[in-house]
Amino acid sequence: MVTRPPVVLAGVALVILVWLSQGMTFYHDEYTFILLRDLSLRGIFAPHNEHLSATLVILYRTLLGTVGMASYWPYLGVTFALHLAVSGIVYLVVRREASIGWALGAMAIMLVLGSGGDDILWAFQSGTIGATAFGMGALVIAPRRPAVAAILLTIALSTSGVGLAFFVGTGVHLLLTRPRALPWLLVPLGYYLVWFALFATSSVSPGLDGLVAYVLEGLTASAAGALGSTSLVVGSLALLGLAFGLGRVWDIPPVVLAMLASSVAFFAIAGLVRAQLGADQATASRYIYVAAPAFLMAGAVLLARIPRPIGPAIGAVVFAFALAGNLTLLVESHDRLLSKVACEQALTPLQRGSAGNPC
């Protein structure tokens, strides 16, 4: 009985996502994996845009070898499954600290997170969503199952550089709850350093210029995105409210603090190689998806601490605003992606996968 509401909610969201995914097909980076990758050592471990993407390479080669390219749905199916996992973790974390209503509200917003819609509706972003799912899973279970967390982090790091953020967050969680288990993090760290030494290449020189502005803009955009808005003013107000709440409430769960640390770490790590492109780059939909779960968890937990009837009343307003806004943004993501797919129709497959793709 307890599991029925989140399962029903996930089912409704899945119907919406399937409906919005009609017309989607292979696009841009996917052609690089389709045409230029194989299951050789170099094919699996060579970086893609500075990311270790071994898991994603294996996934695409497996799907190509079994279902081919006749349908895009098997590829989207993997993405949706990983997205449901992320949303389920949001539910479980909030449910431990608040009533089922708060947990379902946070999960519902995550399920239709239109501010991160480019990740949800494009199968190639199984890399970002997969790293987020495995990374969040590692962070949550680390104090109880550090060995399993080390395995999950290794998978996350094998899927996307996003995993580095959750490596930091898992370290923070262990530091706050079970510091003696920190040596388990040497397993994923050692694996990643070996890969970096043998395979990593980059045409971008890391630097600190603009890093602070990049991090702040990314966090602001993510806070706004969790509320279904693209306004940095809304995001700034949300961050101020979050800071005020964290300062007033002394029993914030360590897992929530660790998730927030992951969000900061994510934009700091990305900013080391991306800040030179401008702080606006940190507001990309694919980045908002990574940080939004932390804001949803923190927001739900803090709102649940406000006494009745004020807390539930504020929560209802925030939920309605965030849900409506994210549904609107999800439709906009669908339209934007379809226009890009249509733009590519005049290009050859090789041109579609190239860095010079005009679409």
Side-chain angles (χ1 to χ4, degrees):
M1 291 293 291
V2 177
T3 59
R4 284 187 182 177
V7 170
V8 171
L9 186 59
V12 172
L14 192 57
V15 171
I16 294 173
L17 295 179
V18 169
W19 179 70
L20 284 175
S21 298
Q22 296 179 84
M24 279 301 298
T25 188
F26 301 96
Y27 165 70
H28 196 21
D29 297 72
E30 286 171 305
Y31 284 99
T32 299
F33 280 54
I34 291 167
L35 299 174
L36 304 179
R37 293 283 190 155
D38 56 32
L39 293 179
S40 66
L41 202 61
R42 173 63 62 177
I44 293 173
F45 289 102
H48 179 75
N49 292 335
E50 292 90 42
H51 293 272
L52 167 56
S53 303
T55 308
L56 194 59
V57 172
I58 294 171
L59 171 65
Y60 267 74
R61 300 319 304 180
T62 300
L63 288 174
L64 285 168
T66 53
V67 299
M69 296 179 64
S71 173
Y72 197 55
W73 289 112
Y75 299 82
L76 279 173
V78 175
T79 308
F80 291 163
L82 292 168
H83 176 58
L84 291 179
V86 171
S87 303
I89 294 171
V90 169
Y91 171 84
L92 290 173
V93 170
V94 177
R95 184 66 185 93
R96 288 178 186 173
E97 307 297 331
S99 69
I100 190 172
W102 293 106
L104 287 172
M107 180 184 181
I109 295 168
M110 188 68 218
L111 282 167
V112 295
L113 190 77
S115 56
D118 288 9
D119 280 358
I120 302 170
L121 301 178
W122 181 22
F124 183 76
Q125 291 304 98
S126 288
T128 297
I129 297 181
T132 301
F134 286 109
M136 286 175 62
L139 188 154
V140 170
I141 70 168
R144 290 176 289 112
R145 298 284 188 273
V148 177
I151 295 171
L152 292 177
L153 278 176
T154 302
I155 298 172
L157 290 170
S158 297
T159 307
S160 167
V162 168
L164 291 168
F166 293 101
F167 175 86
V168 174
T170 302
V172 170
H173 198 194
L174 287 175
L175 194 62
L176 293 173
T177 58
R178 193 180 173 184
R180 295 175 71 175
L182 281 168
W184 278 105
L185 295 184
L186 293 174
V187 174
L189 178 62
Y191 163 77
Y192 190 81
L193 290 177
V194 169
W195 169 80
F196 192 86
L198 295 178
F199 295 98
T201 58
S202 176
S203 58
V204 181
S205 299
L208 298 177
D209 286 349
L211 180 60
V212 173
Y214 189 94
V215 172
L216 289 176
E217 189 135 351
L219 292 173
T220 303
S222 298
L227 291 173
S229 174
T230 58
S231 168
L232 294 181
V233 174
V234 171
S236 297
L237 292 174
L239 286 180
L240 287 173
L242 181 64
F244 177 78
L246 292 174
R248 291 291 299 272
V249 178
W250 295 102
D251 62 338
I252 300 298
V255 66
V256 173
L257 294 176
M259 280 294 300
L260 291 171
S262 289
S263 298
V264 176
F266 171 68
F267 286 108
I269 293 167
L272 288 174
V273 294
R274 303 288 184 184
Q276 59 186 280
L277 302 176
D280 287 350
Q281 203 263 350
T283 66
S285 175
R286 64 186 184 277
Y287 287 177
I288 289 174
Y289 185 95
V290 178
F295 288 109
L296 289 172
M297 291 177 184
V301 169
L302 288 174
L303 285 170
R305 300 288 197 268
I306 301 175
R308 292 175 177 271
I310 299 175
I314 296 175
V317 173
V318 171
F319 170 76
F321 180 85
L323 189 66
N326 272 299
L327 279 169
T328 301
L329 291 174
L330 193 60
V331 173
E332 291 177 3
S333 291
H334 161 265
D335 295 343
R336 180 170 59 253
L337 285 171
L338 280 189
S339 68
K340 291 180 177 180
V341 169
C343 171
E344 280 194 347
Q345 297 309 303
L347 304 178
T348 66
L350 198 58
Q351 288 173 327
R352 294 174 190 180
S354 71
N357 183 338
C359 301

